[in-house]
């Protein structure tokens, strides 16, 4: 007590003095050090470097936290499943938990390993496009076969495709659906982005249509039904594909389909070739750089479509041009819904329009609005009420024609996925088991690297080996977070 009574009076004057100094320094201690936080004092390159470092650190720790959450989720799910296995011995349960632990360790080791182009051997180039190419490759250490999609970074930046590139990577990374091409790895170097996906040796639906012209209604029913389930799977992931066409419907070794090429999916603020079609709208429907529309072929009358497109030579010419369009920057608008061109917003229904156009082509031999050039095709799609016509020389059942008309119609009247499944064209389809039944066409493969169902003879087999760009480091921030490795490691 005496200690407190003696010391208390002596501390009070000191406290009062410190409080007075603090008030004089705006509440800060007397030894507070002031820093000038004026950003103008920094050099021009300092701020971008600081922002880059901040984003990289945020990404690093986000990935670390997300990975830990995913590991814990997998452990909890396995433990929950094992608890429900009343017939399984405790020893076997523990063995499965240990196996998961080994898988997780191997996966962490794989994630620390940096993949690159040198880890894969190119077998053949199986596709080329405006932004890169697709190769059949073999992973050197495991010998496994994959399809490698290369995308040129400079083209992605030049064509403002960043949102599309990331959308494709995100769809493939998030999907475990049997209806979507599986992504195993994604990585990048200074010149390219790389997607390592499963190789589907059956080619694509466009190649089959070019070869066989038309399908029977039974064969069409099979492929369209599988497409319905594939599109539904994409929609359930929260994405809209927006580029459903025969080129993007691939066929696996058993003859069943999977969707690919999600480069335009969910790109709501980046319309497909929007500036080009916007100019068409602004010019009253005339293609940019063209004169009076009377100089073009008259495509106003429905009869002119029938007369032109029922000629086998003309159809062959259109299909040859169709293949070239698949490799071009413009692409083909044959399967794109009109609301996408209007740039006024659209929803999942745009994919069902595309499916209707594909169904029409399967049964008739060409898409409903195809023309000799993309400008006329666009105009016909925008005036679809005047140009949707079924040729007299092709017999379709009432069910088939009705389904097509309920898909190729205004957005508000288009069928939903539930209504499509209940349509009488699909009478007898078992939606739950269709992927387990025999497909109408099963590719005959000579080896695991058989590419006979791809038009490789038309392609330059010189792989793209663009040199490294010394200025790439400054732009790589745009592709931050592109790397992906699937669990479990294939």
């Amino acid at each position: 007590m005496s200690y407190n009574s003696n010391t208390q009076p002596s501390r009070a004057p000191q406290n009062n003095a410190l409080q007075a100094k603090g008030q004089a320094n705006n509440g800060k201690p007397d030894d507070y050090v002031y820093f000038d936080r004026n950003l103008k004092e920094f050099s021009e390159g300092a701020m971008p470097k600081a922002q880059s470092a901040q984003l990289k650190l945020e990404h690093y720790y986000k990935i670390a936290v997300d990975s830990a959450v995913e590991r814990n989720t997998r452990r909890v799910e396995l433990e929950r499943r094992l608890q429900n296995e009343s017939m399984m011995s405790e020893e076997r349960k523990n063995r499965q938990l240990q196996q998961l632990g080994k898988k997780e360790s191997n996966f962490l080791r794989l994630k620390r390993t940096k993949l690159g182009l040198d880890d894969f051997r190119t077998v053949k180039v199986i596709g080329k496009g405006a932004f890169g190419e697709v190769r059949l490759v073999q992973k050197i250490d495991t010998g496994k076969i994959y399809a490698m999609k290369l995308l040129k970074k400079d083209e992605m930046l030049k064509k403002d495709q960043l949102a599309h590139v990331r959308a494709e990577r995100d769809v493939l990374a998030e999907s475990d659906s049997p209806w979507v091409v599986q992504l195993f790895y994604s990585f990048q170097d200074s010149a390219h982005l790389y997607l390592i996906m499963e190789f589907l040796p059956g080619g694509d639906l466009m190649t089959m249509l070019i070869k066989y012209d038309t399908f029977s209604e039974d064969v069409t029913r099979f492929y369209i039904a599988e497409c319905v389930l594939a599109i539904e799977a994409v929609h359930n992931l929260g994405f809209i594909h927006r580029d459903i066409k025969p080129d993007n419907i691939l066929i696996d070794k058993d003859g069943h389909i999977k969707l690919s090429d999600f480069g335009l999916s969910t790109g709501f603020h980046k319309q497909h070739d929007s500036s080009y079609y916007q100019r068409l709208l602004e010019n009253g429907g005339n293609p940019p750089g063209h004169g009076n529309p009377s100089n073009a072929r008259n495509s106003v009358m429905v009869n002119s479509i029938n007369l032109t497109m029922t000629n086998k030579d003309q159809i062959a010419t259109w299909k040859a041009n169709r293949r070239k369009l698949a490799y071009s920057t413009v692409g083909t608008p044959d399967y794109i819904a009109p609301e996408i061109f209007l740039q006024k917003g659209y929803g999942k229904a745009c994919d069902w329009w595309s499916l209707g156009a594909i169904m029409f082509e399967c049964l008739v031999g060409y898409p409903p609005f195809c023309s000799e050039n993309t400008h006329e095709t666009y105009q016909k799609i925008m005036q679809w009420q005047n140009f949707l016509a079924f040729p007299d020389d092709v017999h379709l059942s009432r069910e088939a024609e009705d389904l097509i008309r309920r898909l190729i119609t205004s957005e508000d009247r288009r069928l939903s996925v539930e209504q499509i499944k209940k349509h009488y064209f699909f009478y007898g389809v078992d939606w739950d088991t269709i992927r387990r039944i025999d497909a109408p066409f099963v590719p005959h493969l000579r080896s695991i690297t058989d590419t006979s169902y791809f038009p490789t003879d038309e392609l330059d087999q010189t792989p793209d080996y663009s040199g490294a760009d010394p200025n790439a480091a400054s732009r790589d921030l745009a592709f931050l977070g592109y790397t992906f490795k699937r669990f479990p490691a294939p």
Side-chain angles (χ1 to χ4, degrees), residues 13-28:
Q14 292 179 350
N15 289 339
N16 292 336
L18 288 173
Q19 289 175 2
K21 289 182 180 180
Q23 291 173 357
N25 292 326
N26 297 322
K28 299 293 191 300

Side-chain angles (χ1 to χ4, degrees), residues 49-61 477 480:
K49 289 180 180 178
Q51 291 172 351
S52 174
Q54 178 185 353
L55 289 174
K56 288 180 179 178
L57 284 170
E58 288 176 353
H59 173 71
Y60 174 83
Y61 286 107
L477 199 61
L480 184 66

Side-chain angles (χ1 to χ4, degrees), residues 321-361:
N321 291 334
R322 174 70 180 81
R323 174 69 72 183
K324 293 175 183 177
L325 279 172
Y327 301 145
S328 71
T329 55
V330 177
T332 173
D334 283 290
Y335 311 94
I336 298 178
E339 61 264 24
I340 292 180
F341 296 134
L342 291 174
Q343 303 182 49
K344 294 181 179 179
Y346 49 87
K348 298 176 182 178
C350 68
D351 286 341
W352 301 125
W353 169 289
S354 303
L355 186 63
I358 293 172
M359 181 176 172
F360 184 103
E361 182 175 1

Side-chain angles (χ1 to χ4, degrees), residues 102-169:
K102 290 180 181 179
K103 281 185 179 181
E104 294 288 2
S105 297
N106 292 334
F107 185 55
L108 287 172
R109 195 173 298 112
L110 172 67
K111 292 187 75 172
R112 289 193 294 268
T113 304
K114 187 175 182 179
L115 279 178
L117 189 59
D118 294 338
D119 293 300
F120 299 89
R121 178 181 69 86
T122 298
V123 178
K124 185 177 286 188
V125 177
I126 58 176
K128 281 184 179 281
F131 303 116
E133 64 187 28
V134 180
R135 304 178 192 171
L136 180 67
V137 298
Q138 184 175 33
K139 198 165 186 288
I140 293 174
D141 60 347
T142 64
K144 292 189 176 182
I145 298 298
Y146 301 98
M148 172 189 282
K149 184 174 183 178
L150 295 82
L151 297 170
K152 301 174 185 175
K153 284 185 175 181
D154 56 352
E155 289 295 324
M156 296 292 102
L157 292 165
K158 190 186 305 179
K159 304 294 185 182
D160 198 14
Q161 296 291 306
L162 297 182
H164 298 161
V165 171
R166 191 52 188 256
E168 177 173 35
R169 180 261 185 212

Side-chain angles (χ1 to χ4, degrees), residues 456-470:
T456 56
D457 294 340
E458 306 171 16
L459 302 175
D460 177 11
Q461 285 300 309
T462 305
D464 180 13
Y465 287 111
S466 302
D469 185 351

